Amino acid sequence: MKKRKFLPFGLLLMASAAALSAATVSVKVDQPGARINPAMWGVFFEDINFGADGGLYAELVKNRGFEFPDSLMGWITISPSLAKGEVSVRDDAPFDPANPHYVRLQSEGTAPFGLSNEGFRGMGVRKGGAYDFSARVRDVSGGSRLSVRLYGGDGTLLDTVALQGFSGSWAKYTAVLHPTDTDPKARLAVLVDGKGTLDVDFISLFPENTWKKRPGGLRADMVQALADMHPGFIRFPGGCIVEGSVLARRYQWKNTLGPIEDRRLLINRWNYEFVHRPTPDYFQSFGLGFFEYFQMCEDIGAQPLPILNCGMACQFNSGELCPMDQLDTYIQDALDLIEFANGPQDSPWGARRVAMGHPAPFNMKLLGIGNEQWGVQYFERYEKFAKVLKEKHPEIALVSAAGPDPADPRFRLAWTRLRELHADIIDEHCYAAPEWFFSNTHRYDHYDRNGPKVFMGEYAAQSVAAVSTKNRNNLECALAEAAYMTGLERNADVVLMASYAPLFANTEAWQWTPDLIWVNSLQVVRTPSYYVQQLFARNRGDRVLPVAMGEPAADEEKRMYASATIDDTSGDIIVKVVNATAKASATTLELEGAAGIKDATWTILGSAGLNDENTVESPDRVAPEVRSVSAAGRKLSLDLPADSFSVIRVPVAR
Ligand code: AHR
């Protein structure tokens, strides 16, 4: 977050002072209301847009185990100048039956011969960094060396090491590469040097600088972006990926544990979901599996919210159903997951957690049953899950689904039926125009306070239309989301949690836009929407305070939205105001009932234009700026810039 004394907004304001409108925001400091769930503002993670493989999971080699259906996808044969040889893909006597394919590199020895990997649309490597190479190798004949080379996108050799001494049995060999330059499009070559034949498999390259320096871990800069948000929870692993286009391709958490070599590859449903955005090289290695998700949640202080398949494939695809009398396997998966996360060390699944290095429980309190399901088939499956889970684990709150869109009959039916089933928390999804969010800030004011709680589990303002490839993460969308979030916050007694979706997108391999955080192989770009989420999460407060807005002079000035909370520990009053008008507003913030207030911290998110966004080239165009504002009595005067979101933290005298 930038700290500046003189702000561009100030200059903008001076220029448009004549156009200033006036507003009053009054907060009743002495009338705290509903408690706010400490985990209210969280994140939705799905392996979409190369979010895991090619994203959070820091592996740089694509198709490292040659298990893609096109075994050599991501690899090209390198036979420079005089090199002669042959590459064949085999599956006889592999090093691991879970990873049956490997390559045989047969070189005639005239020059180094072998393969080169392109990474996930280029390997991002940094000068001064250390990169752990590993591969399984077996000598077939000749006792030749393996030359491992890292090349820059322009062909410059960035580093090389030679491995030798292979035997006739599979073994793991390692080396460390130190690139001489930073390159977003590096490639890794493995070449047989000398006449001979080698079998090679599971070729891997990881930065040593992963999150918490864990070998084979997660991309540090991406996890840092999450940690910087202070999310209250992480929902994982999706999204439609939970459901699969058919049940055989559903996400099965048990297949994501243990040694990475044993985690069987699965095609990612976003590989082929959109005809207009095919991504044929998109697969799930599960290097980021359920243990790693739980670990990441713990690292950044977020509650884990796993979502499990409920016996239904994606209803936008096959809608395949597991027959009701065969649902027990799915329910058992849920019971086993609770044991894996929370169970004692000597329980079968608790022991699996311990074996992976985590004796203490992960303290899971939430579990989602199904993703974006709807209809009677869902209700009957949810009911069966809930009956067993509530009996055995009443301590776990269950998240149930209300379909894809709040403006449709399936949604209303879901609420009616799930209310009858005494559901704990209902997951609402909404991808709509910015105007929908602006005009729905009072949506929850009239919800039944005694029924299930709301999880606004997927939402994002769409600058063009849902699923349009033209959607932008611009300031207008971020302001619409901020306005809507003031409504969620004011209704924190019924809205328990909320998360923007989707979370990550690779600038070169995305299927869905907009997304909260964009990355390429070396950079992370935080969108205006990211900053909105971050400002809410870092300025949550513990209890809701009543807010009143003065009657606006003109219709246009009605586009101001506010909420307020109190932080019980510091005593700070936190006020959030969106000025979604084209005019700056001379706003008086009154803190009624406060014994006295001190100078406040005012964080502003805005920009010169509503279409402004952050890009790889200009990552900070729309970023929060912080200034301090003097108190006068119980009032603060704030010139709220046009089209801006403000968070004002006011310390009160106690
Ligand atoms: O967030 C992208 C997709 O939108 C999710 O996978 C799905 O739940 C919703 O339809």
Side-chain angles (χ1 to χ4, degrees):
M1 216 167 282
K2 292 181 268 183
K3 272 213 179 223
R4 283 196 199 159
K5 203 154 187 192
F6 301 105
L7 297 165
F9 293 127
L11 296 175
L12 277 174
L13 271 172
M14 281 161 59
S16 61
L20 223 63
S21 63
T24 307
V25 177
S26 308
V27 179
K28 294 192 188 308
V29 170
D30 53 354
Q31 293 181 24
R35 291 221 152 266
I36 301 166
N37 176 11
M40 171 117 183
W41 308 113
V43 295
F44 161 98
F45 179 85
E46 176 166 22
D47 189 3
I48 184 173
N49 306 317
F50 274 27
D53 291 284
L56 208 45
Y57 184 49
E59 173 65 87
L60 294 172
V61 178
K62 183 169 69 186
N63 192 14
R64 63 187 170 193
F66 304 99
E67 298 303 328
F68 286 16
D70 172 356
S71 305
L72 290 177
M73 188 179 264
W75 299 91
I76 51 171
T77 303
I78 300 287
S79 46
S81 54
L82 297 172
K84 289 201 180 83
E86 204 178 304
V87 177
S88 53
V89 179
R90 306 174 65 105
D91 60 3
D92 51 312
F95 85 94
D96 184 340
N99 258 286
H101 298 97
Y102 60 90
V103 285
R104 177 160 290 181
L105 305 177
Q106 190 179 347
S107 169
E108 292 187 14
T110 42
F113 170 85
L115 295 171
S116 165
N117 189 275
E118 66 190 8
F120 295 89
R121 315 295 165 98
M123 296 179 181
V125 296
R126 290 181 198 281
K127 181 178 179 175
Y131 292 82
D132 293 337
F133 170 87
S134 65
R136 300 299 200 289
V137 186
R138 174 171 65 186
D139 185 35
V140 180
S141 67
S144 29
R145 303 192 312 167
L146 191 69
S147 175
V148 179
R149 303 178 188 181
L150 193 59
Y151 287 101
D154 65 357
T156 308
L157 182 65
L158 301 177
D159 197 12
T160 180
V161 289
L163 297 172
Q164 56 197 338
F166 310 118
S167 79
S169 305
W170 285 109
K172 182 174 177 178
Y173 295 84
T174 62
V176 182
L177 293 165
H178 297 94
T180 51
D181 214 345
T182 297
D183 200 305
K185 294 270 183 197
R187 300 184 64 98
L188 179 76
V190 285
L191 307 169
V192 177
D193 198 357
K195 184 172 165 55
T197 302
L198 295 176
D199 288 341
V200 189
D201 199 0
F202 225 74
I203 300 169
S204 170
L205 187 69
F206 266 93
E208 286 188 0
N209 183 28
T210 56
W211 172 251
K212 291 195 174 283
K213 306 279 186 291
R214 291 191 183 114
L218 306 181
R219 227 178 102 167
D221 54 352
M222 290 177 70
V223 184
Q224 191 60 55
L226 296 186
D228 289 347
M229 284 177 71
H230 295 191
F233 65 88
I234 301 178
R235 166 189 174 155
F236 57 87
C240 292
I241 205 164
V242 170
E243 305 160 58
S245 50
V246 291
L247 284 175
R249 291 181 179 173
R250 71 189 187 276
Y251 193 102
Q252 299 190 60
W253 71 271
K254 289 176 179 169
N255 296 345
T256 74
L257 305 181
I260 50 168
E261 301 84 353
D262 294 346
R263 305 182 190 182
R264 282 181 192 270
L265 193 86
L266 183 68
I267 190 163
N268 188 306
R269 54 107 57 208
W270 298 106
N271 175 311
Y272 52 83
E273 175 65 13
F274 293 138
V275 178
H276 58 280
R277 299 286 301 176
T279 318
D281 55 345
Y282 202 0
F283 290 81
Q284 299 174 83
S285 71
F286 299 114
L288 169 57
F290 258 45
F291 179 83
E292 290 79 17
Y293 281 121
F294 279 115
Q295 197 175 41
M296 178 169 67
C297 290
E298 184 176 76
D299 289 345
I300 67 176
Q303 280 196 30
L305 168 46
I307 308 284
L308 295 184
N309 189 297
C310 65
M312 299 177 80
C314 183
Q315 291 164 279
F316 289 115
N317 301 143
S318 70
E320 185 187 353
L321 296 170
C322 167
M324 287 298 287
D325 59 5
Q326 292 168 33
L327 208 56
D328 289 353
T329 327
Y330 290 74
I331 297 174
Q332 192 59 47
D333 274 356
L335 292 169
D336 292 343
L337 179 64
I338 297 170
E339 187 175 287
F340 177 72
N342 296 349
Q345 298 183 18
D346 58 358
S347 61
W349 285 100
R352 290 290 299 271
R353 182 190 72 238
V354 177
M356 290 188 77
H358 202 282
F362 281 118
N363 199 18
M364 172 181 134
K365 297 176 180 153
L366 300 159
L367 179 60
I369 308 302
N371 172 44
E372 197 175 63
Q373 324 298 160
W374 62 78
V376 287
Q377 295 93 344
Y378 175 61
F379 309 137
E380 60 189 7
R381 281 165 181 74
Y382 172 78
E383 187 175 10
K384 206 165 172 194
F385 267 83
K387 190 168 181 310
V388 179
L389 291 172
K390 283 292 163 194
E391 194 182 301
K392 296 196 189 260
H393 290 286
E395 76 283 7
I396 302 287
L398 300 181
V399 173
S400 49
D405 183 358
D408 102 15
R410 292 173 292 191
F411 178 89
R412 285 189 288 281
L413 179 64
W415 263 93
T416 306
R417 188 66 190 115
L418 290 168
R419 189 179 280 116
E420 286 165 6
L421 292 173
H422 305 291
D424 298 323
I425 305 167
I426 299 184
D427 180 9
E428 300 191 353
H429 294 180
C430 184
Y431 298 97
E435 207 42 53
W436 185 92
F437 290 92
F438 283 124
S439 56
N440 272 274
T441 54
H442 291 281
R443 176 178 173 76
Y444 296 103
D445 294 1
H446 311 293
Y447 262 52
D448 178 0
R449 268 41 205 174
N450 300 311
K453 303 291 184 198
V454 173
F455 169 31
M456 190 70 211
E458 290 186 31
Y459 66 95
Q462 315 285 298
S463 64
V464 178
V467 197
S468 165
T469 54
K470 304 272 186 256
N471 286 323
R472 309 303 308 181
N473 278 101
N474 60 26
L475 176 64
E476 184 186 17
C477 290
L479 293 179
E481 290 147 11
Y484 186 67
M485 290 168 79
T486 63
L488 303 182
E489 186 169 83
R490 281 189 299 94
N491 287 283
D493 55 333
V494 68
V495 181
L496 213 57
M497 301 186 298
S499 46
Y500 180 103
L503 180 57
F504 287 117
N506 184 313
T507 55
E508 302 195 25
W510 56 272
Q511 296 78 45
W512 182 292
T513 185
D515 303 285
L516 200 62
I517 301 169
W518 288 81
V519 306
N520 62 19
S521 66
L522 288 175
Q523 287 157 285
V524 171
V525 178
R526 301 167 190 215
T527 62
S529 295
Y530 169 94
Y531 288 117
V532 166
Q533 296 293 321
Q534 184 188 50
L535 286 168
F536 269 87
R538 293 176 76 146
N539 295 284
R540 189 192 72 244
D542 297 303
R543 286 176 295 161
V544 178
L545 297 175
V547 186
M549 311 274 287
E551 194 52 39
D555 259 9
E556 178 205 344
E557 290 164 23
K558 287 185 181 150
R559 290 172 70 86
M560 287 192 54
Y561 309 85
S563 60
T565 64
I566 181 167
D567 178 321
D568 284 340
T569 311
S570 64
D572 287 1
I573 308 301
I574 306 164
V575 184
K576 302 176 181 96
V577 189
V578 177
N579 177 11
T581 74
K583 283 185 188 168
S585 171
T587 298
T588 304
L589 175 59
E590 292 179 344
L591 298 180
E592 296 174 22
I597 62 172
K598 301 181 189 163
D599 292 354
T601 305
W602 177 15
T603 307
I604 313 168
L605 183 72
S607 192
L610 279 173
N611 289 327
D612 285 358
E613 55 187 306
N614 295 332
T615 58
V616 167
E617 295 74 29
S618 300
D620 300 320
R621 183 178 294 141
V622 189
E625 298 181 353
V626 182
R627 60 169 92 168
S628 71
V629 52
S630 310
R634 291 186 196 86
K635 292 185 180 172
L636 295 166
S637 294
L638 307 158
D639 287 345
L640 301 179
D643 297 320
S644 66
F645 170 47
S646 292
V647 178
I648 306 107
R649 265 194 104 104
V650 195
V652 293
R654 294 208 268 187

